[in-house]
Amino acid sequence: MTSPLTALSWNIEKGIKGQQAAAWVRAQQPDIFFQQELPPDQLTAQAERLGMDGYIAPCHPGRDDDLRDRHRNAIFLKRGGPLAFDEEFRQTWMPWSIAANLTVRLRDADGTLSPRRISCVSGQACYWNAGHRRDEARWCSTLAKPGWLAVHFWDWNSYRVGDGPQNWSQYTDHAYVAMRTYDHGGRRYSDDRPDREMLGAGYVEMACYAANRLQQLNATKAASGYRRRPGRPPGRRYCIDRGYLSAELTPALTGFEVCDTDGLRQISGHLPLRATFDTAVLRTVLHRDAAACPPHQNRHPQAPACQEGTLTA
């Protein structure tokens, strides 16, 4: 029986507790690990701690000392694992935190690589500018062309459609309000536009798919927001760490969860996300003729649906 393929994603805040985080990640034995906020000088050490090969996003051209590049996004692949590195792409146009972006192919037991490849993206959307976040999500649509396959794990710093705070007057942290909302007609709205862009491009959010189709009802729980912050009311938490994948890949998804323990909460203000895939189904998809797959053939009718122009108060 073929072992399932495991993907982890984790924003390890500023890499401060990278060693403790790496020990936990290594124990999970993921085939691919998406990390956000990795200091570039930790890449080699982190790769060795994990026993994986690491690929980190580049810095902005000519700005080696830029604040934006002190904590980058990275992707790690299990050495000799089922996912083989194919090609790396440098998205240096991004205004804040450059996403790590590479493609992989599935490796069979005999070493043969799949004819189709998956674009993998580890990102952290701009925490202070809703316009930048929308542009970053719109860029993701370039990897959603007919026949293309992609997996995205991001700290989106924004909300699911219709799921953001409904009453921002309860927040006395006005800087936070400005960062997590956008202005329209003189009113401020919870920023759910990146989610709208991803769903509009045909992507499926893994947590929602697992909850709705696989009956894994805890899949949509929030991975952050459990630490008290001055000026922010206690109570409901919101899911800003989310993973998306191409609709054609959804039959291979067998599970999605937010990993939550007291120990993990001590490492970062974000909790790890774990997705598992049926390797045999994934192999079928990656060996399928892309021409036989019309756009959105397997698209999941997620709720709430993407309705262009709808505002969330």
Side-chain angles (χ1 to χ4, degrees), residues 211-284:
N212 296 335
R213 289 294 186 89
L214 305 179
Q215 301 304 305
Q216 297 172 3
L217 303 183
N218 288 328
T220 56
K221 69 177 288 186
S224 63
Y226 45 84
R227 292 180 180 175
R228 289 296 305 274
R229 306 284 188 182
R232 306 179 196 178
R236 184 179 178 185
R237 305 183 183 105
Y238 302 94
C239 186
I240 65 170
D241 301 276
R242 300 189 299 275
Y244 297 81
L245 78 173
S246 301
E248 194 183 346
L249 293 172
T250 55
L253 184 68
T254 58
F256 189 92
E257 64 176 319
V258 176
C259 305
D260 189 0
T261 67
D262 289 339
L264 293 173
R265 291 192 179 202
Q266 295 302 313
I267 292 174
S268 173
H270 299 254
L271 294 170
L273 308 178
R274 185 199 330 257
T276 54
F277 298 86
D278 184 312
T279 306
V281 175
L282 196 61
R283 181 177 293 111
T284 297

Side-chain angles (χ1 to χ4, degrees), residues 38-302:
L38 174 68
D41 60 0
Q42 289 187 16
L43 176 65
T44 300
Q46 188 75 331
E48 290 309 309
R49 293 170 188 148
L50 296 169
M52 306 176 80
D53 294 323
Y55 306 86
I56 196 167
C59 66
H60 289 84
R63 304 293 292 274
D64 293 346
D65 61 345
D66 197 310
L67 176 63
R68 297 174 295 178
D69 298 316
R70 293 181 186 175
H71 309 106
R72 303 187 203 168
N73 303 296
I75 298 175
F76 296 86
L77 296 175
K78 178 184 288 186
R79 293 169 181 163
L83 296 177
F85 171 83
D86 178 67
E87 192 173 2
E88 190 171 10
F89 301 88
R90 300 168 62 87
Q91 307 299 341
T92 55
W93 66 269
M94 289 188 171
W96 181 247
S97 180
I98 298 172
N101 177 203
L102 55 85
T103 53
V104 298
R105 296 181 189 270
L106 187 65
R107 187 184 354 243
D108 286 337
D110 62 0
T112 302
L113 299 182
S114 62
R116 299 178 71 185
R117 60 185 187 173
I118 301 174
S119 295
C120 299
V121 183
S122 175
Q124 183 182 35
C126 184
Y127 73 92
W128 55 271
N129 188 309
H132 287 344
R133 289 194 292 268
R134 190 174 194 180
D135 287 343
E136 290 159 344
R138 281 180 168 171
W139 165 78
C140 295
S141 67
T142 67
L143 304 179
K145 298 179 178 69
W148 290 36
L149 301 171
V151 172
H152 298 263
F153 278 102
W154 290 62
D155 171 359
W156 287 100
N157 284 308
S158 58
Y159 309 100
R160 289 190 178 107
V161 173
D163 193 41
Q166 301 298 304
N167 185 4
W168 284 100
S169 66
Q170 297 177 346
Y171 290 72
T172 58
D173 182 349
H174 299 298
Y176 183 76
V177 174
M179 290 187 291
R180 288 294 179 86
T181 64
Y182 65 94
D183 179 85
H184 182 83
R187 294 184 59 192
R188 302 208 69 85
Y189 296 89
S190 296
D191 185 22
D192 60 12
R193 295 184 302 179
D195 188 42
R196 293 180 184 276
E197 296 292 345
M198 296 298 286
L199 300 181
Y203 289 115
V204 173
E205 194 207 331
M206 287 180 253
C208 289
Y209 183 89
N212 296 335
R213 289 294 186 89
L214 305 179
Q215 301 304 305
Q216 297 172 3
L217 303 183
N218 288 328
T220 56
K221 69 177 288 186
S224 63
Y226 45 84
R227 292 180 180 175
R228 289 296 305 274
R229 306 284 188 182
R232 306 179 196 178
R236 184 179 178 185
R237 305 183 183 105
Y238 302 94
C239 186
I240 65 170
D241 301 276
R242 300 189 299 275
Y244 297 81
L245 78 173
S246 301
E248 194 183 346
L249 293 172
T250 55
L253 184 68
T254 58
F256 189 92
E257 64 176 319
V258 176
C259 305
D260 189 0
T261 67
D262 289 339
L264 293 173
R265 291 192 179 202
Q266 295 302 313
I267 292 174
S268 173
H270 299 254
L271 294 170
L273 308 178
R274 185 199 330 257
T276 54
F277 298 86
D278 184 312
T279 306
V281 175
L282 196 61
R283 181 177 293 111
T284 297
V285 173
L286 290 171
H287 282 266
R288 180 186 297 156
D289 182 359
C293 308
H296 315 325
Q297 177 178 337
N298 297 312
R299 184 174 180 179
H300 174 54
Q302 287 180 250

